[in-house]
Amino acid sequence: MNRKGVIQKVAAEGTISKYHVLFEGDSKPQEVTSRAIQCDPAFLPHSPQQVKQPFIAAEVLMSPASNFDEEGEQGNTQGAVQDTSIDDDDESGTEDQPMFDDIPDSSMQQLLETGTTIPKDDATNPLIAHGLKWTLEECISMDVCRDQPKNTIINFPNGVVPDLGNFYSIWKLLFPYDIMPDCVQNTSLLLEKGGLPPTTSTEMEKWFGITFARTLFKEQGRDLWRTEMHVESCCLPAAFGTRFGMSRNRYDSILSCLRFGKFSDLELLHNPWLPVQCFIDAFNTNQTKIVSPGTFILLDEIMSSWLGLEADYSLNGIPHKTKIKRKPKGVRVELKALIDYSAFSSVATAVALKQHGTYFIGIVKTAHKMYPKQFMGTHDFSKRGDHVALSANVQGHQLFAVGWLDGKRKDLVSACGTTLPSTPATRTRQEVVVSADKGVSTRPYLRTTPGCNIVASYFDNFHFIDVHDHMRQGILKLEQHWLTRNWVYRVLSTLFGVIVTDCYYASR
C-alpha cells in the first residue's frame, strides 16, 4: 500500500543524494535515495547547498513491495518507493494536500524563494492555490494597518532650512555631495594624464549646470558654443562659452574624464557595474539620510534607453540590457525605483514585506503563484465596480486577495486595507451624440466606478513613478540632449535626470 510523506532534509554522500522523508503516521523520518522518490525530478534538490532550510516537496509515495539501494538496484527491504510518477488526480482529494499553515517559518521562506516545491492548483477546489487555502470574505471591515497617514518629510542637515524657492539650494540637498571629492580627485587624475589642469568642485558644479542647460536649447554639441547667429535661425545663439565661462574643449575634456570612483581591471571583471554602482550607492545613502517616506511607497522600474552594444559583443559594451517589445523604447537598462508607494506583486512579495513590518498592496499579473487566480477567473462579476475578497493566513500573516471589475478584471493582493466602500473612481470619457441640429458630435461625460478601500489605496498612488518618468523623459529630456556611445554616461544621465526631477517636486 502506498504511503505519503514530505521531504524534510537532503544530505549528499559522494554522488548519491539521501533524503529524509517523514511519512504519515510515523514520528521519525526515514532515509531514502533520490532514485527511490517518485515525483518530478525538478521537485528535488540535488545538493545540501540547495537546501539550507528544511525542504518541503510534493507527496512522496512509498510502496512496501520494492526497495532501491544506493546504486539504484532493486533490493529486498520493505518500505521503499515504487518507480512510478505521482498521480496529480489522486482520488484522495485535497485533504492530503499540504497546507501552508502547517509549514514552519524557515520552510515557508524556502517555498517562497524556490519555484520547485509548491504543489499545483487543485482543479476541484478553486479556493486552493498551490497548496494555500483561501477563504471567501463577505466584508473586510477592520484594517490591520492602524498607522496614521503621514506625508513625506525632508530632513534638513543641522536643522537649517534652505531657500526652497532656489533650485540650487534643493540641488545641494538632493545631490550626493559626499561623492563629489572622489569625483574631483579621479576626474583630475585623468585630466592631468592628458596634460590638462585638474578640476575643482566649483568647476564640477558649473559643468553640471551646463549639462542641464543643454536641455533648454534645440542646438546640440558645438552649436551650443556658437556665438554668431545661424543663417537659418531667428534665435540668438546659445553662446555657452561667454554665458557660462567654460569653453567647449574644457567641457568635453571633463566629460571624457568624468569618474566617480577608481577601480582595477580585476574589480571591473568581477563587477562591471562599478562605474555607476558607486554613484547609485551614494545616491541611495543620501536619499535615506534626507528623505523620510510617507505612508505609501511605490516600487516600479526606471528605464534608460540604450541602443549600443552589449558586453557579450564588445569589450566596452553594457553588462546587461532589457528588451521589451511592447515598449516604445524597448531596448534599455532597467533600474528599480522607490517613490513615496506591479509587475513585482505576488503573495511571496506580500509575505516577505510583512515579515519586515511593511504592508503591501499590488496588482498580480504574471507572478500568481499561491494566488487564487482560478477562483477569480470563474467568479461571476455582474457589473462594473463589483468586487470579491478572499483571505488566507500564511504563518500568522493575514493576506487578502481582491478581484475588482473595471472593464477588465483587476486582481490585487494586499496585507492591509478593508473592503468598505470608498470614493468611486471618476474618469472623463467621450461619447458620440447624434442630434438633428448639430449632426454627429462628441460629448465628454464623467464615468464613475464604485470600489473598495483596498482598490482605492492602490489606484490613487500606483502611477507616481510613471509620472516621474514622464517628467524626466518627456519634459527634461536630458538623455536626448546628451548623446553618447558610452553606456556609463547613458546611465549617469538617467540618474542625473532623476535628481533634477526630484528637485522639481521638492520645490513644489
Side-chain angles (χ1 to χ4, degrees):
M1 180 178 179
N2 293 339
R3 301 182 64 193
K4 298 176 182 178
V6 292
I7 299 172
Q8 290 189 324
K9 187 178 179 182
V10 60
E13 294 185 7
T15 59
I16 302 298
S17 295
K18 291 188 175 181
Y19 296 87
H20 293 195
V21 182
L22 180 63
F23 297 101
E24 290 182 348
D26 292 353
S27 59
K28 295 182 180 180
Q30 298 184 30
E31 188 177 85
V32 297
T33 65
S34 58
R35 295 185 178 93
I37 297 177
Q38 303 308 305
C39 64
D40 191 327
F43 285 173
L44 296 177
H46 298 290
S47 69
Q49 289 77 16
Q50 290 179 284
V51 184
K52 297 180 181 179
Q53 308 286 350
F55 183 84
I56 306 298
E59 298 170 350
V60 180
L61 302 185
M62 294 293 291
S63 170
S66 62
N67 181 37
F68 294 85
D69 60 18
E70 289 187 0
E71 298 301 321
E73 297 178 355
Q74 191 167 357
N76 297 320
T77 306
Q78 287 186 328
V81 184
Q82 282 186 327
D83 191 13
T84 56
S85 300
I86 292 178
D87 187 359
D88 289 333
D89 298 323
D90 195 323
E91 294 180 358
S92 58
T94 61
E95 293 182 0
D96 295 324
Q97 193 170 13
M99 292 294 114
F100 285 104
D101 293 343
D102 302 324
I103 298 174
D105 288 336
S106 57
S107 302
M108 184 62 196
Q109 185 65 27
Q110 184 73 15
L111 276 166
L112 296 175
E113 292 176 354
T114 61
T116 60
T117 63
I118 299 176
K120 297 179 181 180
D121 284 343
D122 186 350
T124 63
N125 189 349
L127 289 174
I128 296 179
H130 298 93
L132 180 60
K133 186 175 181 179
W134 294 84
T135 303
L136 187 63
E137 298 285 351
E138 183 176 350
C139 178
I140 303 170
S141 58
M142 181 175 293
D143 192 351
V144 295
C145 177
R146 300 184 181 182
D147 297 340
Q148 293 297 321
K150 60 180 180 179
N151 296 322
T152 304
I153 298 175
I154 297 180
N155 305 308
F156 302 107
N158 303 320
V160 179
V161 181
D163 180 8
L164 296 182
N166 186 314
F167 187 88
Y168 177 64
S169 298
I170 303 175
W171 164 264
K172 293 190 69 174
L173 193 65
L174 297 180
F175 185 86
Y177 266 82
D178 289 344
I179 203 174
M180 187 63 82
D182 292 337
C183 175
V184 172
Q185 180 182 1
N186 292 299
T187 303
S188 295
L189 286 175
L190 292 180
L191 288 170
E192 291 175 324
K193 282 184 179 181
L196 299 173
T199 186
T200 64
S201 59
T202 301
E203 187 179 44
M204 285 305 306
E205 287 187 334
K206 182 184 293 185
W207 184 90
F208 278 111
I210 295 174
T211 300
F212 298 131
R214 294 170 61 172
T215 64
L216 302 175
F217 296 86
K218 293 182 179 180
E219 295 87 348
Q220 293 185 355
R222 68 181 61 190
D223 289 339
L224 291 168
W225 275 263
R226 192 187 301 274
T227 55
E228 67 277 4
M229 185 180 296
H230 197 278
V231 177
E232 299 179 358
S233 175
C234 61
C235 299
L236 293 174
F240 273 19
T242 56
R243 186 191 297 262
F244 300 117
M246 181 180 289
S247 67
R248 181 178 65 86
N249 288 338
R250 182 62 176 174
Y251 177 87
D252 289 343
S253 297
I254 294 177
L255 172 60
S256 62
C257 298
L258 181 65
R259 300 292 187 277
F260 287 97
K262 186 178 181 180
F263 314 103
S264 65
D265 292 340
L266 183 60
E267 289 175 318
L268 291 173
L269 181 64
H270 284 24
N271 184 5
W273 293 102
L274 281 176
V276 296
Q277 185 66 53
C278 57
F279 184 85
I280 293 174
D281 291 341
F283 171 81
N284 289 337
T285 300
N286 187 68
Q287 290 290 97
T288 302
K289 181 173 60 177
I290 298 298
V291 180
S292 296
T295 302
F296 296 101
I297 301 176
L298 174 66
L299 172 65
D300 208 340
E301 72 271 356
I302 287 179
M303 295 300 188
S304 180
S305 178
W306 177 252
L307 300 179
L309 293 174
E310 294 181 76
D312 292 343
Y313 311 105
S314 173
L315 183 62
N316 297 319
I318 195 168
H320 174 75
K321 62 182 179 182
T322 303
K323 304 176 180 69
I324 305 177
K325 187 176 181 180
R326 69 179 186 274
K327 298 288 186 179
K329 294 183 179 180
V331 183
R332 58 261 189 100
V333 183
E334 182 172 321
L335 309 173
K336 303 302 181 187
L338 277 176
I339 276 187
D340 276 0
Y341 189 63
S342 121
F344 316 102
S345 300
S346 66
V347 171
T349 301
V351 172
L353 289 175
K354 189 70 178 295
Q355 290 172 345
H356 289 81
T358 300
Y359 296 89
F360 179 82
I361 302 177
I363 284 189
V364 177
K365 296 180 181 177
T366 56
H368 49 75
K369 187 169 292 181
M370 293 184 286
Y371 188 84
K373 186 176 181 180
Q374 180 182 352
F375 175 85
M376 295 298 182
T378 57
H379 181 75
D380 182 21
F381 295 90
S382 59
K383 63 183 183 301
R384 183 187 292 269
D386 281 357
H387 70 268
V388 63
L390 308 174
S391 67
N393 190 292
V394 183
Q395 293 303 299
H397 301 302
Q398 189 174 34
L399 301 182
F400 305 116
V402 177
W404 180 59
L405 185 63
D406 179 34
K408 294 182 178 179
R409 188 186 80 249
K410 307 293 193 302
D411 295 334
L412 293 91
V413 61
S414 174
C416 61
T418 70
T419 57
L420 297 175
S422 64
T423 303
T426 303
R427 303 179 180 90
T428 302
R429 293 292 184 262
Q430 302 285 335
E431 64 179 351
V432 177
V433 178
V434 180
S435 60
D437 53 341
K438 295 183 178 180
V440 181
S441 60
T442 58
R443 180 179 63 189
Y445 71 98
L446 294 179
R447 187 181 70 193
T448 59
T449 306
C452 64
N453 171 265
I454 291 176
V455 172
S457 297
Y458 176 79
F459 283 98
D460 287 347
N461 298 280
F462 82 106
H463 61 285
F464 287 130
I465 283 185
D466 292 331
V467 175
H468 191 284
D469 286 345
H470 172 71
M471 297 291 293
R472 175 178 57 86
Q473 295 177 308
I475 297 179
L476 180 64
K477 299 181 180 180
L478 178 60
E479 293 140 310
Q480 296 183 29
H481 291 270
W482 185 349
L483 303 180
T484 180
R485 295 184 179 181
N486 187 320
W487 71 266
V488 175
Y489 295 151
R490 168 55 65 240
V491 176
L492 287 176
S493 67
T494 298
L495 297 172
F496 295 161
V498 168
I499 296 175
V500 172
T501 308
D502 288 347
C503 291
Y504 166 74
Y505 279 108
S507 66
R508 296 176 62 183

